[in-house]
Structure formats: structure tokens, C-alpha cells
């Protein structure tokens, strides 16, 4: 009997502790910001950039991206000056996944029509834990760069990197 009483008390304590955890179900809390697409130089493909912030203690993973504006959206990373397609990107706990010119980027392929400055592209980010997050991505000028880094030329990098395929 004494053993049963102890077990019940320990169980009650564990439940109370879980209830105090803050974000309840333990899901990642993602916020997407700073999204933009530089107006592409061709109707073939375009690059997109954004930042995903995870304010929770649970890591997540970006597994795919889709958009009505493109037949396909692929995930690319840049390593050693060359870009390559990857199947997913991790979103670390209490961290950020950053897409920026010269680094990670989204590639919009088989565009339905050439995006123009002032347009808005709707895309859906799919995460392993958080499900689908919809983003409205504004199309900026071809030379737009939020970091204002004069050494970065997104259009030049893409025309060379993608002409040979992956
Ligand atoms: Cu690329």
C-alpha cells in the first residue's frame, strides 16, 4: 500500500511539471521574416530569400517548399562558391535558418510567368514538426540586397551556377 501511495505522488508531480512547461505541446514556434525575391533576369528561374526564426526549445526541419508561381521550388545551399540542391534544412532550437544572397536560397523553377518588381509570390513552407507555413514574398528590384553588400551580385551567381545544372 505504501508503495502505491508513493507512485501516485510521483506521477502527480511529473504531470504538474509538464503542465508548467510554457509552450504546452512542445511544438517549435516559427516566425518567417525578411522574405524577398529579386526580380529575375529571365522567366526561367528566380531565387528567393527569407529568415526563419525558432523561439522554442524544439528543433524543426524545412522539408519542402511549393508555390503557385513556379512548377517547382528547390532548396539550395552554397558551399565553396558552388551551389547544390539539398533535400532539407534544419531549423535549430532557439536559432535561425537564414536564406541570403550568396548562401542558402530557394530556387523557383519553371515559372508560370516572369515575376516583376511589386508582385507578391505566395509560397508554402513545409516543416517536419510545424506543418505548413504560408509566406507572402514581395518581388524587389533585381539588385535589391538587404545587407547592401556591394560584392554580392545575386543574378551573376545564379546564371553561372545553374547553367551547368546540378
Ligand atoms: Cu541555386
Amino acid at each position: 500500500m505504501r508503495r502505491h501511495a508513493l507512485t501516485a505522488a510521483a506521477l502527480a508531480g511529473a504531470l504538474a511539471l509538464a503542465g508548467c512547461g510554457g509552450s504546452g505541446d512542445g511544438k517549435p514556434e516559427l516566425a518567417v521574416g525578411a522574405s524577398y525575391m529579386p526580380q529575375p533576369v529571365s522567366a526561367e528561374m528566380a531565387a528567393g530569400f527569407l529568415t526563419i526564426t525558432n523561439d522554442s526549445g524544439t528543433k524543426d526541419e524545412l522539408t519542402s517548399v511549393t508555390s503557385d508561381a513556379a512548377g517547382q521550388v528547390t532548396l539550395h545551399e552554397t558551399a565553396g562558391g558552388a551551389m547544390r540542391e539539398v533535400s532539407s534544412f534544419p531549423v535549430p532550437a532557439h536559432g535561425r535558418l537564414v536564406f541570403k544572397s550568396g548562401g542558402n536560397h530557394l530556387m523557383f523553377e519553371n515559372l508560370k510567368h516572369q515575376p516583376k518588381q511589386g508582385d507578391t509570390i505566395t509560397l508554402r513552407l513545409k516543416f517536419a514538426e510545424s506543418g505548413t507555413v504560408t509566406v507572402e514574398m514581395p518581388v524587389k528590384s533585381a539588385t535589391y540586397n538587404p545587407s547592401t553588400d556591394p560584392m554580392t551580385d545575386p543574378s551573376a551567381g545564379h546564371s553561372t551556377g545553374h547553367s551547368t545544372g546540378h
Side-chain angles (χ1 to χ4, degrees):
M1 289 302 283
R2 290 181 71 83
R3 180 180 287 174
H4 273 104
L6 273 173
T7 304
L11 195 62
L15 287 171
L17 211 63
C20 290
S23 56
D25 58 3
K27 284 238 177 199
E29 293 167 23
L30 304 182
V32 178
S35 75
Y36 72 99
M37 170 187 286
Q39 181 177 296
V41 293
S42 80
E44 300 289 305
M45 59 176 65
F49 307 100
L50 48 83
T51 298
I52 299 161
T53 304
N54 183 359
D55 282 331
S56 75
T58 307
K59 68 174 163 55
D60 208 337
E61 187 175 18
L62 177 64
T63 55
S64 69
V65 180
T66 58
S67 173
D68 294 339
Q72 189 182 19
V73 184
T74 52
L75 308 173
H76 288 193
E77 67 175 13
T78 304
M83 65 179 67
R84 68 187 186 95
E85 187 173 343
V86 297
S87 57
S88 67
F89 277 112
V91 185
H94 298 297
R96 296 193 304 171
L97 169 59
V98 178
F99 293 84
K100 63 178 183 177
S101 183
N104 301 335
H105 52 279
L106 304 175
M107 283 311 306
F108 296 77
E109 298 171 33
N110 303 321
L111 292 167
K112 304 287 168 60
H113 59 86
Q114 185 171 354
K116 292 278 192 281
Q117 184 174 354
D119 290 354
T120 300
I121 306 293
T122 301
L123 50 150
R124 288 170 295 280
L125 312 179
K126 290 203 174 58
F127 295 92
E129 302 293 336
S130 302
T132 302
V133 175
T134 302
V135 176
E136 303 288 329
M137 174 177 278
V139 179
K140 302 288 194 177
S141 71
T143 55
Y144 177 81
N145 189 334
S147 66
T148 63
D149 181 350
M151 298 300 289
T152 306
D153 185 347
S155 57
H158 272 94
S159 57
T160 53
H162 284 279
S163 59
T164 54
H166 284 284

